[in-house]
Amino acid sequence: VSGHYEPHYDYGRVDHTDARGMRLATFMMYLSSVAEGGSTVFPRLGLGVTPHQNDAVSWHNLRPEQPGWGNELTLHAGCPVVQGSKWGMSVMWSVVVSQSSLLSDPMAR
């Protein structure tokens, strides 16, 4: 049994972001199918995604109604792989420029 990821968010915290800023969205593609286990689960949504080769899942990490704040519904985890192996690729897009700098510097657009 391996490949377990504890429940986590992909967005940064408001009080702890790196130079790239908040993670706006995540795209995860499964590069292999798994014989047993290995699902990606979203406990607050009651959803699970079974890994099948070439399938993908994506989500927005920030609240659309409150820009800059993380969406708690995106809490997710990787279930243990019981049989087989799980290969995947994740891409996360970050907000690099703050809204205030867009308003004050028209060249930043």
Side-chain angles (χ1 to χ4, degrees), residues 5-93:
Y5 281 91
E6 293 292 326
H8 65 281
Y9 302 100
D10 284 349
Y11 60 82
R13 296 189 326 252
V14 172
D15 62 339
H16 185 288
T17 58
D18 60 24
R20 295 170 296 184
M22 299 288 284
R23 292 177 181 166
L24 179 63
T26 299
F27 174 86
M28 184 167 54
M29 182 173 185
Y30 299 106
L31 303 177
S32 65
S33 296
V34 177
E36 184 179 355
S39 293
T40 302
V41 294
F42 295 82
R44 295 197 170 154
L45 294 171
L47 297 174
V49 180
T50 303
H52 294 287
Q53 187 174 7
N54 299 324
D55 283 356
V57 60
S58 66
W59 60 91
H60 291 275
N61 295 308
L62 304 180
R63 297 182 196 171
E65 76 282 358
Q66 197 172 14
W69 288 91
N71 183 348
E72 295 87 3
L73 296 177
T74 64
L75 180 73
H76 61 286
C79 294
V81 174
V82 177
Q83 184 179 4
S85 61
K86 178 179 174 181
W87 289 86
M89 174 185 72
S90 291
V91 177
M92 294 174 224
W93 289 273

Side-chain angles (χ1 to χ4, degrees), residues 84-105:
S85 61
K86 178 179 174 181
W87 289 86
M89 174 185 72
S90 291
V91 177
M92 294 174 224
W93 289 273
S94 297
V95 177
V96 178
V97 181
S98 71
Q99 290 182 353
S100 60
S101 65
L102 284 174
L103 294 174
S104 63
D105 181 4

